[in-house]
Amino acid sequence: MKINKVAVFGVFTALALIFSYIELLIPFEFGIPGAKLGLANLVIILVLYKTDWKEALLLSVVRIILSGFIFGSLSGILYSLSGGLISLAVMALLKRTDKFSVIGVSMAGGVSHNMGQLFVAMLAVNTYAVSYYLPVLIIAGLITGTLIGIAAREILKRTTALMLR
Amino acid sequence: MRKNDWILAGCILLAAAALMVFCLQRSRQGGTVVVSVNGEIYGSYSLSDDRTVQINNSNRLIIENKTAKMEWADCPDQVCVRHREISRDGESIICLPNQVVVTVQSEESPELDGIAQ
């Protein structure tokens, strides 16, 4: 990493952490327990579009581990990591196909995030009883993913001059 | 938003709906009926065994085809008798005058707790 890249990466890490914190202070729940808006994912998407998937991956992992140690617990880190890594993989692949706009990419990211977390929860408690919750979480992921995607589109539209590559 | 985005959203919604239907159908299976009178458990019966349950000479519950139905009650309002049959986890028939509550519960108790924040 070049020095200016390191600085920019630090700024984005701080931004993602702050978003995690804001979400902790103001929980955006939609009457669904456990559903979150995933504000930090906004930063991940911006980095994914502005640089490449490798930096988005690094940022995602750093963000999850840091916010896990600061605000959460070890099991929380594992759940977040499973959701975050799967959603980033799906988003990076969809972006590469170039067939979807940022909203579609974010949608798929939100849905796959929730699905990944539920699968890990199923492994952890060793029961399929939680699978009843899957349709609800898919819809929740679709809604939050769309909202984050719209925000990301507006930000990308206004920051075309910002080149990080 | 591109056309592909809408297609993706549609597919996701469809998948969720299909899963929902699948889960609802699966939740029909098995389960027990718990009858309580005045807050105390009167008895629990499996939904898969057809039988008639006489509850304190005030209500009569019929379990048939994996559903439970209140067949007769001595109360004046007859709300519980008109209630449709119950079979899914969490559904209940309540006879307020006689303080009879009939609830369907799944055989395995949920094991989820608040680990994930």
Side-chain angles (χ1 to χ4, degrees), chain B residues 27-74:
Chain B
S27 69
R28 220 176 250 283
Q29 303 296 318
T32 52
V33 181
V34 177
V35 178
S36 65
V37 180
N38 222 338
E40 283 165 29
I41 290 180
Y42 182 83
S44 65
Y45 314 92
S46 172
L47 261 182
S48 25
D49 307 331
D50 291 1
R51 64 179 294 172
T52 307
V53 182
Q54 190 73 34
I55 309 165
N56 286 346
N57 292 324
S58 64
N59 296 64
R60 193 158 57 232
L61 184 77
I62 283 196
I63 300 173
E64 211 174 43
N65 298 330
K66 299 200 169 174
T67 61
K69 192 172 179 10
M70 195 70 84
E71 194 211 27
W72 170 81
D74 66 354

Side-chain angles (χ1 to χ4, degrees), chain A residues 2 10 12 23 38 43 49 96 98 121 161:
Chain A
K2 283 186 199 156
F12 276 122
E23 208 154 47
V43 183
Y49 270 79
R96 186 170 274 192
D98 220 20

Side-chain angles (χ1 to χ4, degrees), chain A residues 75 98-101 103-104 107 111 125 127 130-132 134-135 138-139 142 153, chain B residues 1-2 4-5 8-9 12-13 16 19-20 23 26-27 108 111-112 115-117:
Chain A
S75 64
D98 220 20
K99 289 197 170 69
F100 300 95
S101 77
I103 298 178
M107 239 182 240
V111 172
V125 296
T127 173
V130 285
S131 64
Y132 296 122
L134 190 57
I138 290 178
I139 303 280
L142 186 65
R153 184 189 62 182
Chain B
M1 246 170 119
R2 284 200 228 163
N4 280 331
D5 294 345
L8 181 69
I12 292 170
L13 278 177
L19 271 170
M20 188 108 67
C23 284
R26 235 178 40 147
S27 69
E108 50 188 303
E111 291 178 61
L112 265 191
I115 318 170
Q117 279 192 334

Side-chain angles (χ1 to χ4, degrees), chain A residues 133-152:
Chain A
Y133 212 46
L134 190 57
V136 180
L137 282 181
I138 290 178
I139 303 280
L142 186 65
I143 296 169
T144 57
T146 309
L147 292 176
I148 293 295
I150 292 169

